[in-house]
Amino acid sequence: MSDEILTEVIDRIGVARINRPKVLNALNLATMEQLVEALERFDADPDIRCMLLTGNERAFAAGADITDMTDASMVDMVQRNQFARWERIKRIAKPIVAGVSGYALGGGCELMMHCDIVIASETARLGQPEINIGVMPGAGGTQRLTRAIGKAGAMDLVLTGRMISAREALAMGLVSRVVPAEHYYEEALKVCHELCTRSPIALRLAKESVLKAFETTLAEGLEYERKLFYMLFATDDQKEGMRAFLEKRQPVFAGR
């Protein structure tokens, strides 16, 4: 594994850190492939219950690496099929928490939106500035952003290319929490530790159900939710969780 993606396991948390500081963690094809492979390994490891994706204090990821694309033709881009890697992230079943500081722009903002909980530093600056270089978002920016903050906000960010602050992103519903810059990583790790105390099966199905809401009607989504809810009553974790509640103790979930 290249040192452009640093990985470690902290307790039951798989941590992946983008490590291209000289280019503000810009995402090229090789970096994305390494990142996706790391997340897939964590997802397949039964000892890992959630993941933390982060960068550094200056940048989560400042966008795509433009040197990858400057002289590419339309045929080059089609044959490259770079967004296939992003589809693989969408299939990650375990929760992904993003710890975001500094720039999360273009592909960096799109990568952040692939995560399930976003802890942002007060220094975070987010946006989809692709319009400024003659293109548009291509890894879900026009679609996930619109679903997250609505048409008016998405049109504003996508068509003007402007950056927004972490507080503005929180008000729009684009990030989950905003914390002081010196605490963003610790807060993201704290959230991961909290998730590790939950039933991994319930976490997986709850994530699946929330994501389904973006792809179905309300009636279809409600039916899907009910089926997953009923399925959880076939698990040992459901029995443990409810018994622990009645016995006034903390549950110990085994993931079965």
Side-chain angles (χ1 to χ4, degrees), residues 17-250:
R17 184 184 296 274
I18 306 167
N19 183 43
R20 303 188 75 210
K22 292 182 180 179
V23 290
L24 294 175
N25 290 339
L27 303 169
N28 61 22
L29 294 177
T31 301
M32 281 302 301
E33 180 64 29
Q34 294 158 18
L35 175 59
V36 172
E37 288 177 356
L39 296 177
E40 288 175 337
R41 284 199 308 276
F42 289 149
D43 205 33
D45 187 337
D47 293 328
I48 290 176
R49 294 200 172 181
C50 69
M51 298 165 224
L52 171 55
L53 175 56
T54 192
N56 58 43
E57 291 77 11
R58 293 185 63 205
F60 175 71
D65 193 333
I66 303 304
T67 59
D68 262 5
M69 297 180 281
T70 303
D71 297 320
S73 69
M74 182 189 74
V75 173
D76 292 333
M77 295 302 289
V78 171
Q79 291 178 338
R80 186 178 296 174
N81 193 21
Q82 67 191 58
F83 299 124
R85 296 165 180 81
W86 298 77
E87 289 298 309
R88 288 160 60 190
I89 298 176
K90 191 175 74 171
R91 293 194 291 271
I92 298 292
K94 295 173 184 174
I96 306 174
V97 176
V100 177
S101 183
Y103 297 113
L105 302 174
C109 188
E110 290 167 316
L111 181 60
M112 182 195 78
M113 288 190 287
H114 276 69
C115 299
D116 303 306
I117 299 175
V118 178
I119 308 301
S121 158
E122 288 177 331
T123 67
R125 296 294 180 267
L126 304 92
Q128 297 290 162
E130 290 90 343
I131 204 77
N132 295 325
I133 56 170
V135 290
M136 58 175 276
T142 65
Q143 301 303 301
R144 286 189 174 84
L145 191 64
T146 304
R147 286 162 171 77
I149 68 175
K151 175 189 171 184
M155 286 291 193
D156 183 5
L157 297 188
V158 171
L159 299 188
T160 69
R162 75 181 182 94
M163 287 189 290
I164 59 173
S165 69
R167 291 291 175 189
E168 191 172 357
L170 181 65
M172 287 179 165
L174 189 55
V175 303
S176 309
R177 309 179 195 177
V178 175
V179 298
E182 63 270 24
H183 298 311
Y184 84 95
Y185 178 78
E186 289 75 12
E187 183 67 18
L189 196 60
K190 178 182 174 183
V191 171
C192 288
H193 281 297
E194 186 177 353
L195 294 180
C196 287
T197 68
R198 307 297 194 255
S199 163
I201 304 173
L203 283 176
R204 177 173 181 157
L205 295 188
K207 170 177 174 171
E208 183 179 325
S209 189
V210 171
L211 293 177
K212 196 73 171 179
F214 294 102
E215 301 172 354
T216 63
T217 65
L218 176 59
E220 291 168 338
L222 288 170
E223 181 179 358
Y224 193 79
E225 177 190 77
R226 291 187 195 109
K227 289 178 179 177
L228 296 185
F229 176 77
Y230 296 148
M231 283 173 58
L232 288 169
F233 281 77
T235 67
D236 293 343
D237 281 354
Q238 173 267 326
K239 303 296 185 294
E240 166 64 10
M242 292 191 174
R243 286 170 183 153
F245 177 81
L246 294 175
E247 295 167 6
K248 295 182 172 51
R249 60 176 174 83
Q250 291 297 314

